[in-house]
Amino acid sequence: DAGVIQSPRHEVTEMGQEVTLRCKPISGHDYLFWYRQTMMRGLELLIYFNNNVPIDDSGMPEDRFSAKMPNASFSTLKIQPSEPRDSAVYFCASSLAGDSTDTQYFGPGTRLTVL
Amino acid sequence: DAKTTQPNSMESNEEEPVHLPCNHSTISGTDYIHWYRQLPSQGPEYVIHGLTSNVNNRMASLAIAEDRKSSTLILHRATLRDAAVYYCILDGGYGGSQGNLIFGKGTKLSVKP
């Protein structure tokens, strides 16, 4: 398996523009997670899905952020409108099952810069 | 959520063992102890996890204190490729489903040749 795939790897955009980040989880994994990493706040969970259904979105910073998972092999994280403070590395991760012994597999991340 | 405490940074020499400590005094009986690491410019990767007994795998060993209030990740022979930020995380899940992996600041390990 190719692992978790994220695109784009780098995104530079201007304030106010819409940004869409994409993720393809490992085939067969039922859980998908979106994280954000900044120097100030470290790695934070934004939202996670189980079988394509959002389970916990309490980490989503505000209404400008939205995430969808239309099918088992694809998820998007959208920011509209984007702001400079959204600049961060966004990671997608997936896991096979939903218990405390399971492992999350992370993608390479998307580095977002909002000017 | 139970929290963990780790030193901000540690240094090691190449090919020497490294012991990375983690304190988790408020751990609950169902919390698993997970270790992940993040190499520069990469996403975090799983290292090892355990509940009560010590664990070994090809990457590392995990030594868990008898009272489970602390644990130590052991890299038996550090290589330059082991230079990374190491995160100690408690995962108890909730409602029978996987919970929140709460990443702290971790320990930045430097390995000197």
Side-chain angles (χ1 to χ4, degrees):
Chain A
D1 201 312
V4 175
I5 299 172
Q6 292 187 247
S7 64
R9 294 293 310 276
H10 300 272
E11 176 81 37
V12 180
T13 190
E14 293 189 348
M15 182 175 63
Q17 296 297 307
E18 178 180 295
V19 176
T20 300
L21 311 181
R22 297 173 175 79
C23 175
K24 176 179 168 53
I26 293 173
S27 177
H29 281 192
D30 290 337
Y31 285 77
L32 183 140
F33 306 82
W34 281 101
Y35 290 86
R36 177 174 68 175
Q37 187 171 36
T38 62
M39 289 294 293
M40 290 294 293
R41 300 177 66 91
L43 199 61
E44 307 171 279
L45 177 69
L46 300 177
I47 185 172
Y48 77 93
F49 295 82
N50 178 18
N51 290 324
N52 314 336
V53 177
I55 302 301
D56 185 355
D57 65 353
S58 60
M60 296 285 263
E62 49 197 274
D63 292 344
R64 297 184 297 105
F65 286 69
S66 62
K68 294 182 180 180
M69 192 164 185
N71 57 62
S73 59
F74 183 65
S75 177
T76 59
L77 178 68
K78 185 177 293 186
I79 308 172
Q80 167 63 17
S82 59
E83 296 182 3
R85 59 191 168 125
D86 302 329
S87 297
V89 181
Y90 291 80
F91 291 102
C92 176
S94 69
S95 67
L96 184 62
D99 61 52
S100 300
T101 66
D102 205 13
T103 296
Q104 291 189 22
Y105 296 85
F106 285 75
T110 295
R111 181 174 295 276
L112 173 64
T113 303
V114 183
L115 302 174
Chain B
D1 294 312
K3 293 184 178 179
T4 63
T5 304
Q6 300 177 253
N8 290 333
S9 62
M10 291 184 65
E11 269 191 0
S12 172
N13 293 318
E14 196 175 12
E15 298 195 2
E16 290 186 356
V18 182
H19 290 233
L20 298 165
C22 180
N23 288 321
H24 29 78
S25 59
T26 59
I27 191 171
S28 73
T30 57
D31 284 340
Y32 278 79
I33 302 158
H34 289 251
W35 284 80
Y36 282 73
R37 72 179 185 181
Q38 187 172 18
L39 302 171
S41 301
Q42 295 188 27
E45 65 175 351
Y46 169 81
V47 177
I48 200 167
H49 76 274
L51 183 62
T52 56
S53 304
N54 294 344
V55 185
N56 300 297
N57 66 22
R58 64 175 180 81
M59 289 181 70
S61 296
L62 176 59
I64 301 173
E66 196 169 333
D67 63 5
R68 299 207 331 122
K69 293 186 177 182
S70 66
S71 61
T72 302
L73 179 71
I74 302 166
L75 307 180
H76 296 285
R77 287 183 65 198
T79 68
L80 296 178
R81 195 192 172 278
D82 291 321
V85 177
Y86 287 78
Y87 298 97
C88 170
I89 303 162
L90 302 182
D91 182 7
Y94 57 82
S97 61
Q98 186 161 21
N100 208 331
L101 281 187
I102 300 175
F103 286 80
K105 294 191 181 301
T107 296
K108 184 174 184 178
L109 175 66
S110 302
V111 180
K112 297 185 291 184

